[in-house]
Amino acid sequence: MTSERPTTLLAELTHRCPLHCPYCSNPLDLLRADREISTDDWKRTISQARELGVLQLGLSGGEPLIRKDLEELAAHARRLGLYSTLVTSGLGLTRKRAEALKEAGLEHIQISVQDSDTTSAERIAGTSSVKQKRAAIAIVRELGFAFSINVVLHRGNLDRIGEIIDLAASLGADRLELANTQYYGWGLKNRATLMPTREQVTRAKGIAEEAMRRHKGRMQIIFVLPDYFEDRPKACYGGWGRFYIVVGPDGSALPCHGAYALPNLTLPNVRDHSIDWIWHESPAFQAFRGNAWMKEPCVSCPMQAATFAGCRCQALALTGDATNPDPVCTLSPHRHLIDEAVADNAAPLTYEYRDFVIEPQGA
């Protein structure tokens, strides 16, 4: 049993979304509307998470605005004293809904932007979206929400990182997350197309660092090197089951977003178990806590406490064994898999799009 308490609950309310983004980290087997848990299930889950110590709630998806109970869930979180963020494409964020969310107590809205170039942005999203996103951003700014822009970076837009930063500043973002693609779900399926070159990454890093200095005090810019271009892995979600609880649309509870893919990992469900039990007792959350499961060179590595052997889902995706050292590490016997993937970036910019899933909401 861990003595640590989670700080963040990411509530993935639905997998349904009007966008087709080829880097989406949702699982390839997207859940349909009839498998989504009810409003009461979500409210109970949020309450239990707050009792356990959670301070922040992310309302995400898919596109969470598709859920008709979004405002009710935001109001429930506010009553419990949680800081809440809506993670959205912006499509469907009308003034009426934005005002209702403001009244409900929602504090922060993060809107995704695919590129600074309109043609490229809509090609990446797989649908016409830029005009609707700009309108949503104007509403968010006018109503005074804390406002972030998230841009997933990849080979198709990385050369315009300077223009992307300028766009975010012109739109009045308080915070800009330049989120290099994580290769899970649809991102892994499209890896050869999305993978940037080393030259692109090096140039982008320099531009981002200069922009951080230029915008300091006005717009916070977050840029982290993509895993595949690092020498050491990052600690997955700060370490397996240390800070985050992810709950999927069907009530499955996960220690990290990608854990759907792990075989032999039975995910607990909030319909059947309390968040307290899930966090402290469930085999899924216990699976990669501590270091008893680790192999060399992780066992004796002095960076073990900082990296926790890296990402279990990445280890599984690339090596077939979730207990292997993350191949990102240059000490891993599987590092060649990363180097080969980085070299394999000559595929044409032809995306295999995420399924289009929009259905009536019955919850």
Side-chain angles (χ1 to χ4, degrees):
M1 177 183 289
T2 180
S3 61
E4 293 172 327
R5 298 287 183 121
T7 61
T8 303
L9 171 64
L10 179 61
E12 294 183 333
L13 303 179
T14 183
H15 282 165
R16 294 173 291 154
C17 184
L19 303 188
H20 307 258
C21 302
Y23 47 72
C24 181
S25 57
N26 284 146
L28 299 181
D29 184 16
L30 297 167
L31 294 169
R32 318 300 289 193
D34 59 5
R35 294 182 61 188
E36 293 173 11
I37 62 175
S38 69
T39 304
D40 287 342
D41 286 329
W42 275 118
K43 289 169 76 172
R44 183 183 67 255
T45 298
I46 293 167
S47 294
Q48 291 177 357
R50 182 70 185 97
E51 290 170 5
L52 189 58
V54 162
L55 302 172
Q56 301 178 80
L57 171 67
L59 297 164
S60 181
E63 175 48 67
L65 285 163
I66 290 171
R67 291 277 304 211
K68 292 182 171 63
D69 56 1
L70 180 61
E71 292 85 346
E72 184 175 351
L73 297 180
H76 184 71
R78 179 65 172 182
R79 285 192 294 272
L80 296 172
L82 285 162
Y83 183 89
S84 57
T85 295
L86 174 64
V87 181
T88 175
S89 68
L91 275 65
L93 188 63
T94 62
R95 174 172 293 279
K96 181 178 179 180
R97 291 210 75 181
E99 289 175 344
L101 287 165
K102 186 74 172 179
E103 178 67 23
L106 184 76
E107 293 162 292
H108 176 213
I109 294 181
Q110 174 184 293
I111 293 180
S112 65
V113 169
Q114 278 64 43
D115 203 337
S116 57
D117 177 81
T118 296
T119 300
S120 173
E122 298 197 333
R123 184 182 179 204
I124 293 165
T127 189
S128 176
S129 57
V130 170
K131 184 177 180 180
Q132 296 172 75
K133 285 175 179 284
R134 297 289 178 88
I137 288 170
I139 292 168
V140 168
R141 292 288 296 149
E142 184 178 337
L143 294 180
F145 288 98
F147 169 48
S148 295
I149 287 176
N150 175 273
V151 183
V152 177
L153 299 174
H154 49 85
R155 182 158 60 97
N157 62 13
L158 196 55
D159 288 336
R160 285 181 291 278
I161 189 171
E163 291 88 341
I164 289 169
I165 293 169
D166 290 343
L167 173 63
S170 72
L171 293 174
D174 302 307
R175 188 171 186 266
L176 170 62
E177 295 183 4
L178 298 167
N180 285 282
T181 299
Q182 298 293 316
Y183 297 103
Y184 310 112
W186 294 89
L188 183 60
K189 196 173 186 68
N190 283 284
R191 188 179 69 178
T193 298
L194 297 169
M195 184 67 66
T197 66
R198 192 168 295 278
E199 292 74 20
Q200 279 184 302
V201 171
T202 300
R203 176 177 176 271
K205 181 175 181 286
I207 292 172
E209 289 175 345
E210 186 281 327
M212 290 176 195
R213 293 188 289 270
R214 179 159 41 93
H215 290 283
K216 186 176 181 180
R218 298 189 300 275
M219 179 174 70
Q220 182 186 20
I221 300 174
I222 308 296
F223 177 89
V224 180
L225 281 175
D227 285 359
Y228 281 48
F229 294 85
E230 295 269 35
D231 293 331
R232 295 291 183 270
K234 303 176 184 71
C236 175
Y237 274 64
W240 184 275
R242 294 191 71 220
F243 302 111
Y244 287 83
I245 300 174
V246 181
V247 177
D250 64 347
S252 296
L254 305 87
C256 76
H257 188 278
Y260 287 108
L262 293 175
N264 305 318
L265 189 73
T266 301
L267 297 174
N269 195 289
V270 299
R271 286 171 165 151
D272 307 316
H273 300 284
S274 71
I275 289 292
D276 186 278
W277 183 90
I278 288 169
W279 181 257
H280 287 119
E281 305 291 344
S282 69
F285 276 72
Q286 297 285 349
F288 299 107
R289 281 180 176 151
N291 58 12
W293 58 272
M294 292 183 188
K295 300 177 179 178
E296 290 290 1
C298 302
V299 173
S300 55
C301 179
M303 293 189 66
Q304 181 196 109
T307 67
F308 297 95
C311 176
R312 297 305 87 221
C313 302
Q314 194 153 259
L316 172 71
L318 298 182
T319 75
D321 185 347
T323 66
N324 278 333
D326 188 331
V328 163
C329 184
T330 53
L331 301 176
S332 166
H334 306 286
R335 172 68 194 199
H336 66 281
L337 298 172
I338 293 292
D339 296 331
E340 290 165 5
V342 169
D344 184 22
N345 54 15
L349 288 177
T350 302
Y351 304 119
E352 185 165 348
Y353 291 108
R354 181 193 129 124
D355 290 343
F356 184 68
V357 183
I358 289 286
E359 302 169 356
Q361 170 60 35

